[in-house]
Amino acid sequence: MGREQWKKIWVGSAGNMVEWFDWFVYATFAVYFADSFFPEGNETANLMNTMGIFAVGFFMRPVGGWLLGRIGDRKGRKAALTLTVTLMSASAVLIAIAPTYDVAGYGGVAVLMVARLLQGLSVGGEYAASATYLTEASAPEKRGFASSFQYVSMTAGQLVGLGLQIVLQRNMSEAALHSWGWRIPFVVGALGAGIVFYLRRSMLETEVYADSGAAEQQDRGTLKVLWQHRREAFLVMALTMGGTVAYYTYTTYLTKFLSKSAGMEKSTASLVSFCALFVFMCIQPLAGMLSDRIGRRPLLITFAVGSTFLTVPIMTMLKHADTFWPALGLALLALVVITGYTSINACVKAELFPTGIRALGVGLSYAVANALFGGTAEYVALWFKNAGAESGFYWYVAGCAAVSLVVYLTMRETRDIDLNRVVAGQAGEKAQAAGATSVTPAS
C-alpha cells in the first residue's frame, strides 16, 4: 500500500474518530447529565428519556445518509466528508452550552434535541462517505484491511471518550461531574472537529471516483438510480441488522449495563469497557486482512453463529460479573465474535454498489437499518429492564443475529468484485448480470 493510499486512510480515519467521539460521548456520559434536563424523579426513567433523545439522532441518520450520500456521489467523497465534520462540530457546541432544567425548563431538552438531530445528520453521512472513501482508496487486494480502519477509528473515538471519562472520574467529584463536568467532552469534541475540518480540506479524492466517469453522470446519487439497485439496498439493511444491535450492546450500552445491572462501580465499568474496546480496536485490521485472503462471508457467518448462540449466556454471566477480570473476559469474548462483522462491513456494503451510487446506496440503506435497530438497542434494553424482564433483551439481540445469519448464508461473495464494473446510470438488471460474472458465487 503506497504512501498516498495511507494518507487517504489516515485523513479519512482521523475525521471518523472525531465524529464517533462526539456521537458516543453522549451515550457514555448520559449517566451524568440525564437528571440535568428532566425533573427529579425515577433515575431509570430519566436515563430512558435521555437515551430516547439518543435514539432520535439515529432516525435523522437516514436523512444524512440520503443528503450527504447524494453529495458524495455528485460532488465527490471529499466534499461529503468535509461537510459531515462541520455539522458534528456545531452539534457538539450546542450540547456543551445546553441549559439545564433548573435554568430553562424543557428548553434545555429542545437544545439537546436539535444537537442530536444535527449529529444524526452528520453521522448518517459520515458512515457512507468514510466507508466509500476507505474502500475506494485502497488496492483491490487490500480493501478488507483498509476498510477495517473505519471501526478502528470509530473505536478509537470511543476509547478517547472513555479515557476522558476515566480521567474525569478520578479527578472530579461525583457532584461536579453531574453538575458541569459532563460538558467537558463536548468542548473537546468541538475543538477536535475543527482540526479535522482543516485536514479534510486538503485531502485527496479517490482514484476510483475520479477515473470512473461518475462525476459526469447526470443522474448519479439519485433515488431513481438507487431504486434500480434496490436488491443491494435491502441486502445492506438485512446484513446490518444483527451486527449493529450486537455492536451497540457491547460498546455504548456495556458500561451502563455493568453499572446498573451488575452493580459495578461506574469507574470500574468504564475501565472494563476501555480495556475491552482497546483489544477490539487492535484486532480489526487482522480480521480485515483475513477477509482479503478467505473472503467476507466466512467472517460474517462466524459472527452471526457466535452472536446467535452465545449472546444469552454471555449477557447472563455479565450480569453477575461484578468484578473487573470476569467482566473483561466476557466482554472480550463478545467483541471478538462481533469483529467478524465490524472489521469488514464497510467494504462489503461498498462492494455491492457501482461508483455513481455507492455513497448513497451504502449511506441510506445502512442508516435506515441503524435507525430501526442500532439506535433503539439501548432504549429496548432499558425498556426490558424497567419492565422487570431484562433477560428478554438478550434474546432480542440473539434473534437479530439469527436473521442476519440467514442473509449471510445466502448472499454472494464480494471480495473479488471490480468497483468500477458498472456505471450508476445503468439498469439494476445489468448491475446484477455484471455482478454474476465478477463475484465468486456463494458456496
Side-chain angles (χ1 to χ4, degrees):
M1 188 173 291
R3 181 177 178 181
E4 288 300 318
Q5 289 180 328
W6 275 113
K7 181 179 178 181
K8 291 176 182 178
I9 291 174
W10 155 244
V11 175
S13 297
N16 202 39
M17 181 182 74
V18 174
E19 289 269 359
W20 290 95
F21 168 86
D22 286 338
W23 181 259
F24 282 121
V25 290
Y26 182 99
T28 56
F29 278 84
V31 292
Y32 292 108
F33 65 77
D35 293 334
S36 297
F37 294 98
F38 297 96
E40 293 184 8
N42 184 282
E43 184 178 351
T44 300
N46 283 348
L47 187 57
M48 284 182 66
N49 288 331
T50 307
M51 296 317 299
I53 296 175
F54 180 75
V56 166
F58 276 85
F59 285 95
M60 197 64 178
R61 286 176 66 168
V63 180
W66 164 72
L67 177 62
L68 293 163
R70 177 182 172 86
I71 291 173
D73 286 328
R74 296 188 71 83
K75 302 295 184 182
R77 316 315 188 200
K78 174 183 174 180
L81 286 168
T82 303
L83 182 55
T84 59
V85 77
T86 303
L87 293 172
M88 186 60 77
S89 178
S91 64
V93 171
L94 283 177
I95 298 176
I97 65 174
T100 63
Y101 180 83
D102 292 337
V103 174
Y106 286 107
V109 174
V111 173
L112 205 61
M113 182 74 74
V114 171
R116 286 302 295 176
L117 291 175
L118 284 177
Q119 284 192 336
L121 188 69
S122 174
V123 173
E126 173 69 23
Y127 181 90
S130 62
T132 302
Y133 190 87
L134 289 172
T135 302
E136 291 181 349
S138 59
E141 69 278 5
K142 294 185 180 296
R143 289 201 299 256
F145 172 74
S147 65
S148 71
F149 281 88
Q150 184 177 49
Y151 269 81
V152 170
S153 57
M154 284 174 62
T155 307
Q158 189 172 3
L159 282 172
V160 173
L162 279 172
L164 180 57
Q165 185 179 53
I166 292 170
V167 170
L168 294 177
Q169 286 171 337
R170 295 182 182 277
N171 292 277
M172 296 181 68
S173 66
E174 189 83 0
L177 277 170
H178 281 274
S179 176
W180 60 271
W182 59 265
R183 298 182 187 272
I184 294 175
F186 298 104
V187 174
V188 172
L191 294 174
I195 295 172
V196 172
F197 175 80
Y198 174 78
L199 291 174
R200 283 187 168 178
R201 288 185 64 187
S202 61
M203 72 191 301
L204 303 173
E205 188 58 81
T206 67
E207 292 180 5
V208 170
Y209 182 82
D211 298 341
S212 67
E216 282 72 47
Q217 298 163 15
Q218 294 299 314
D219 58 354
R220 66 193 183 280
T222 63
L223 293 176
K224 176 183 177 181
V225 176
L226 180 59
W227 182 249
Q228 296 171 359
H229 299 278
R230 57 190 177 276
R231 180 180 180 277
E232 288 81 3
F234 285 115
L235 181 61
V236 167
M237 288 188 279
L239 67 87
T240 298
M241 178 182 178
T244 192
V245 171
Y247 177 74
Y248 280 98
T249 297
Y250 293 112
T251 56
T252 59
Y253 182 60
L254 179 63
T255 303
K256 286 183 282 295
F257 180 77
L258 292 175
S259 174
K260 301 294 183 182
S261 298
M264 187 177 290
E265 291 290 332
K266 289 179 182 178
S267 57
T268 305
S270 296
L271 187 59
V272 169
S273 292
F274 183 90
C275 294
L277 284 171
F278 180 79
V279 176
F280 174 72
M281 177 183 69
C282 292
I283 63 177
Q284 298 304 299
L286 300 178
M289 291 173 63
L290 180 62
S291 80
D292 287 327
R293 295 181 64 87
I294 68 174
R296 321 298 189 209
R297 290 180 67 248
L299 271 71
L300 291 171
I301 292 170
T302 299
F303 149 71
V305 170
S307 290
T308 299
F309 295 103
L310 294 178
T311 295
V312 174
I314 288 176
M315 293 295 289
T316 301
M317 289 187 285
L318 270 174
K319 187 173 182 178
H320 297 93
D322 55 356
T323 56
F324 176 81
W325 288 108
L328 178 61
L330 290 166
L332 283 174
L333 174 60
L335 288 172
V336 168
V337 170
I338 294 171
T339 296
Y341 166 81
T342 57
S343 60
I344 58 172
N345 83 96
C347 66
V348 169
K349 294 162 189 173
E351 288 165 347
L352 290 172
F353 294 96
T355 304
I357 197 65
R358 185 167 293 128
L360 177 60
V362 173
L364 182 58
S365 307
Y366 174 80
V368 169
N370 257 267
L372 295 174
F373 303 104
T376 58
E378 291 194 58
Y379 193 85
V380 171
L382 291 169
W383 183 87
F384 273 110
K385 178 178 176 60
N386 209 39
E390 191 167 32
S391 61
F393 177 67
Y394 315 161
W395 290 100
Y396 169 77
V397 177
C400 290
V403 172
S404 288
L405 174 59
V406 176
V407 177
Y408 303 152
L409 289 171
T410 57
M411 70 180 287
R412 65 179 187 260
E413 180 58 66
T414 63
R415 179 189 59 178
D416 299 320
I417 204 166
D418 180 2
L419 293 182
N420 277 324
R421 72 191 190 281
V422 187
V423 297
Q426 293 176 304
E429 290 76 16
K430 187 171 182 179
Q432 292 176 17
T437 62
S438 304
V439 184
T440 304
S443 56

